[in-house]
Amino acid sequence: MVDPRTGDGVGSLVGRTPQLGRDRIVAELVPSPRFADVSFGSYVPAPDQPSQARAVEVLQGLAERVRAGRAGEQGGSGLRRLLGGRPKAPAGAPGVYLDGGFGVGKTHLLASTWHAVPGPKAFGTFVEYTNLVGALGFAEAVRALSPMTLVAIDEFELDDPGDTVLMARLLRELVDAGVHLAATSNTLPGSLGEGRFAADDFLREIQAVGSHFEVARVDGEDYRHRGLPDPPAPLDDADLVTAARDAGPGAVLDDFGALTEHLARVHPSRYRALLDGVEAVFWRDVRPLADQNVALRTVVLADRMYDLSLPLAVSGAGLADLFTPEMLEGGYRKKYYRALSRLTSLARGTA
């Protein structure tokens, strides 16, 4: 959609209202294009970080259990297949949980695990799974995910009590159905929810989530910051419009305030579809985000932009000032720092 406020011939995200059916929501539970061809072999552990090589070994073990489980299922009796039953899962934890900082390759390893196992299988962010439940309902989401050999959950985090109870129930249902799990997070299972709500009141649910996983730590430095320059300085408005026009028909240019208002009217499960056909993103008159809800929606949009490797340029405030100091010290700080890391990478053109 072309927005006349941004200059003739330049598209805009504001005004787009994508609609998604059940089949597309489930079909999109695959690794993003940037991780379409990764493998365990393409992950290069840092020599001074032995936990990275150990994480590869743990996930390869999980992939072997998934493959063994599928082989046992295919070799089971006709009666068991007729009744829809599954053989007993091979010994070992039903899931692996990668804990580590930003940019150490956790998503690369998670996608490598997904690629290494037979289907049907699902890969998505934590938010995409909660959105799946919101779009389909809990029972239908369980039916959609229960046939999977593996459910991979990137950026696992419990942001509120509702998510805590929901994910505890969902994971229990999937494990009972014989589904293996793999997850990444920046928070150990026992610390999920800290700083966001009264996590002690939901200790049973948090412990239930943790019981499904073997934890593997992944240490290291954020690769997006290894020897790379600071994010580019913001452009002035005139140069931003010129750059957006020069970027071609796949560019979108939005007033940042109008864009954040529009995000409130689009369900986060549709943010990927919001970016259909987009090849470059331009934000005009960026200002620090003072509202937590607005900031969290912007984080989801940043994640979807990063999935698609969309170049980013801005005017107004710099990306480093997008989130207030209070936000960067609060309970959601890990989400905000991840978003800053990813947006900076997109602005550098090094995503």
Side-chain angles (χ1 to χ4, degrees), residues 13 127 155 255-268 271-272 274-275 281 283 286-307 312 314 318-319 321-324 327 332 335-344 346:
L13 296 180
V127 170
E155 300 156 14
D255 291 323
F256 188 64
L259 175 61
T260 56
E261 290 178 5
H262 183 61
L263 292 179
R265 297 188 288 270
V266 179
H267 193 275
Y271 285 8
R272 189 187 299 270
L274 189 70
L275 296 166
V281 176
W283 290 344
V286 169
R287 291 290 178 265
L289 298 170
D291 182 271
Q292 192 99 265
N293 291 324
V294 175
L296 290 172
R297 286 192 289 268
T298 304
V299 167
V300 177
L301 179 65
D303 287 340
R304 301 292 79 77
M305 289 168 52
Y306 186 75
D307 288 344
L312 172 67
V314 306
L319 291 173
D321 298 319
L322 187 60
F323 304 112
T324 66
M327 290 179 181
Y332 298 101
K335 285 181 177 289
Y336 297 140
Y337 278 114
R338 185 188 74 234
L340 289 175
S341 175
R342 291 182 166 184
L343 291 172
T344 297
L346 295 177

Side-chain angles (χ1 to χ4, degrees), residues 50-342:
S51 64
Q52 295 184 8
R54 172 59 181 159
V56 173
E57 294 176 0
V58 172
L59 287 172
Q60 287 176 326
L62 174 65
E64 290 174 1
R65 294 197 296 275
V66 175
R67 291 192 293 267
R70 171 44 58 96
E73 183 175 337
Q74 291 176 339
S77 69
L79 177 62
R80 183 172 61 209
R81 289 196 298 271
L82 179 65
L83 296 177
R86 288 191 176 188
K88 183 177 180 180
V96 171
Y97 185 106
L98 293 185
D99 170 63
F102 310 105
V104 295
K106 299 190 304 297
T107 303
H108 183 137
L109 289 172
L110 188 68
S112 298
T113 307
W114 187 90
H115 286 301
V117 304
K121 50 193 175 180
F123 182 105
T125 64
F126 177 85
V127 170
E128 286 176 306
Y129 286 109
T130 57
N131 289 339
L132 175 74
V133 175
L136 303 183
F138 184 82
E140 183 62 24
V142 171
R143 280 193 289 271
L145 296 176
S146 290
M148 305 297 178
T149 61
L150 174 74
V151 167
I153 309 169
D154 202 15
E155 300 156 14
F156 197 109
E157 189 56 272
L158 301 181
D159 294 334
D160 59 47
D163 282 349
T164 302
V165 175
L166 172 68
M167 290 306 294
R169 288 183 59 204
L170 181 62
L171 296 185
R172 182 175 65 248
E173 293 278 355
L174 296 182
V175 169
D176 288 348
V179 180
H180 284 83
L181 307 171
T184 73
S185 182
N186 303 309
T187 305
L188 287 167
S191 300
L192 290 166
E194 284 186 358
R196 296 162 178 79
F197 60 92
D200 289 346
D201 295 341
F202 295 87
L203 188 59
R204 181 179 63 182
E205 287 81 4
I206 293 171
Q207 290 174 336
V209 169
S211 70
H212 302 308
F213 296 100
E214 173 186 357
V215 177
R217 177 73 187 175
V218 187
D219 299 305
E221 180 186 358
D222 187 340
Y223 75 89
R224 289 180 289 264
H225 291 166
R226 292 172 191 166
L228 295 174
D230 292 332
L235 303 175
D236 63 37
D237 287 348
D239 288 343
L240 189 77
V241 172
T242 298
R245 288 174 175 168
D246 291 345
V252 289
L253 169 61
D254 288 280
D255 291 323
F256 188 64
L259 175 61
T260 56
E261 290 178 5
H262 183 61
L263 292 179
R265 297 188 288 270
V266 179
H267 193 275
S269 65
R270 302 174 183 174
Y271 285 8
R272 189 187 299 270
L274 189 70
L275 296 166
D276 281 352
V278 173
E279 297 179 2
V281 176
F282 297 83
W283 290 344
R284 181 164 59 186
D285 195 24
V286 169
R287 291 290 178 265
L289 298 170
D291 182 271
Q292 192 99 265
N293 291 324
V294 175
L296 290 172
R297 286 192 289 268
T298 304
V299 167
V300 177
L301 179 65
D303 287 340
R304 301 292 79 77
M305 289 168 52
Y306 186 75
D307 288 344
L308 298 170
S309 302
L310 297 178
L312 172 67
V314 306
S315 69
L319 291 173
D321 298 319
L322 187 60
F323 304 112
T324 66
E326 292 76 17
M327 290 179 181
L328 295 177
E329 295 175 359
Y332 298 101
R333 60 188 177 276
K334 292 182 179 180
K335 285 181 177 289
Y336 297 140
Y337 278 114
R338 185 188 74 234
L340 289 175
S341 175
R342 291 182 166 184

